[in-house]
Amino acid sequence: VKVAVRLRPMNRRELDLHTKCVVDVESNQVVLYPANTNLSKGDARSQPKVFAYDHCFWSMDESITGKFAGQNVVFQCLGENILQNAFEGYNACIFAYGQTGSGKSYTMMGTADQPGLIPRLCSALFERTQKEENDELSFKVEVSYMEIYNEKVRDLLDPKGSRQSLKVREHKVLGPYVDGLSKMAVASYKDIELLMSEGNKSRTVAATNMNEESSRSHAVFNIILTHTLYDVQTGTSGEKVSKLSLVDLAGSERATKTGAAGERLKEGSNINKWDASNGFMQ
């Protein structure tokens, strides 16, 4: 298990309020400085707090090129190892966790100009399959995309476009799975890009006081990579299957800060409850 932390740029609200930045990155450590500068030197609260992680990405100001960690740096540190594990036959998972508006969707999905972890990983996956494919080795790639909204699972790639909730069941050997979740075979990165675009249009977003386009659901994008090995001499074949789970969690939040009420409050409650239980599951 590896844990990475990314510092986002200040948003418009924070800039308008002239908010002071009290967090910094030094190598693979996050340093938190006291927000209250009126504390005496002897007060323990006046000392900076240091936290160490596997990776720390400082993404606050793009103009500071020597320190700034862009989307490509994040992929090199996290995505390349995950991809290597998949080609070796291991299952792997990346999930982004944090408060609403902290940059989870940007890190995982990105934009057209700055693609995130998921698009970069998919693109690199097909580049590698094309290089390694030969008479004795072939690859098959399938994807599924679902959201968990108010504790209900919904298929974002449902060809019928229905919004019905799916049931989570448990297989004796394979473990938990979503019954009825569509699995699409893809032959190129463009196929995945199209499916992701369609899935994102169906995803539940809404405005809160803290984020104009807050993700109100957890999104899970699964890539199933099947390697088929052929023995030319004996005419036999064998398969090796690995699964990549790429998860964009909805923002955990405090109801008082988001101004949530009614449906938004119910969503926030379920988001926080699922995030807490997910921590124990990991």
Side-chain angles (χ1 to χ4, degrees):
V1 177
K2 288 189 177 180
V3 180
V5 172
R6 190 178 193 188
L7 269 62
R8 63 161 175 80
M10 286 197 178
N11 59 33
R12 194 183 308 137
R13 177 173 169 271
E14 290 161 344
L15 292 171
D16 291 344
L17 292 170
H18 304 289
T19 308
K20 179 189 172 186
C21 180
V22 295
V23 61
D24 199 7
V25 165
E26 293 176 7
S27 185
N28 284 340
Q29 294 181 329
V30 172
V31 183
L32 295 180
Y33 296 98
N36 187 353
T37 54
N38 299 322
L39 298 169
S40 63
K41 288 185 178 180
D43 194 325
R45 292 174 296 172
S46 68
Q47 300 303 311
K49 303 284 192 298
V50 180
F51 302 90
Y53 298 93
D54 294 295
H55 299 283
C56 293
F57 305 112
W58 189 88
S59 304
M60 293 198 70
D61 188 351
E62 204 169 346
S63 63
I64 305 175
T65 53
K67 195 174 182 181
F68 183 79
Q71 299 280 65
N72 193 45
V73 174
V74 175
F75 172 70
Q76 286 172 357
C77 293
L78 301 177
E80 288 181 354
N81 287 339
I82 290 281
L83 198 61
Q84 180 60 33
N85 289 343
F87 275 89
E88 289 174 4
Y90 296 103
N91 294 341
C93 175
I94 300 181
F95 67 91
Y97 174 81
Q99 185 173 302
T100 183
S102 59
K104 298 179 300 301
S105 294
Y106 177 76
T107 297
M108 294 302 286
M109 298 302 300
T111 61
D113 298 333
Q114 291 289 336
L117 261 173
I118 294 176
R120 287 173 190 269
L121 208 143
C122 295
S123 180
L125 174 76
F126 280 105
E127 282 177 21
R128 186 157 169 183
T129 55
Q130 286 166 8
K131 282 180 187 175
E132 295 190 10
E133 217 159 26
N134 54 46
D135 293 338
E136 296 181 350
L137 178 64
S138 68
F139 296 95
K140 181 175 74 171
V141 182
E142 297 167 298
V143 299
S144 65
Y145 198 11
M146 64 179 175
E147 76 167 358
I148 302 164
Y149 173 66
N150 276 347
E151 297 191 305
K152 292 180 180 176
V153 179
R154 194 163 66 85
D155 188 353
L156 292 175
L157 300 180
D158 185 357
K160 296 176 185 174
S162 66
R163 296 181 69 88
Q164 66 178 27
S165 57
L166 304 175
K167 294 195 181 297
V168 179
R169 304 188 187 278
E170 186 147 4
H171 191 277
K172 287 182 181 179
V173 178
L174 302 175
Y177 70 98
V178 179
D179 191 18
L181 183 67
S182 55
K183 206 186 285 183
M184 306 287 192
V186 287
S188 67
Y189 171 60
K190 283 194 173 180
D191 291 347
I192 288 186
E193 201 173 24
L194 187 64
L195 289 171
M196 274 197 294
S197 175
E198 289 303 308
N200 288 336
K201 287 175 189 174
S202 305
R203 201 172 165 200
T204 307
V205 296
T208 69
N209 288 353
M210 292 181 71
N211 189 358
E212 289 178 4
E213 286 192 21
S214 175
S215 300
R216 310 308 295 165
S217 65
H218 308 294
V220 183
F221 190 81
N222 289 319
I223 304 170
I224 299 97
L225 177 64
T226 305
H227 319 58
T228 305
L229 299 156
Y230 300 96
D231 190 321
V232 180
Q233 291 180 338
T234 61
T236 57
S237 64
E239 283 188 350
K240 183 168 65 174
V241 181
S242 52
K243 181 180 173 184
L244 294 174
S245 297
L246 309 169
V247 187
D248 177 19
L249 294 176
S252 57
E253 56 194 26
R254 289 187 181 180
T256 51
K257 286 192 175 182
T258 57
E263 193 65 23
R264 297 291 86 79
L265 184 63
K266 180 185 173 186
E267 290 167 356
S269 171
N270 283 326
I271 287 165
N272 293 343
K273 184 163 65 174
W274 195 89
D275 283 350
S277 64
N278 188 49
F280 294 118
M281 284 161 60
Q282 299 305 323

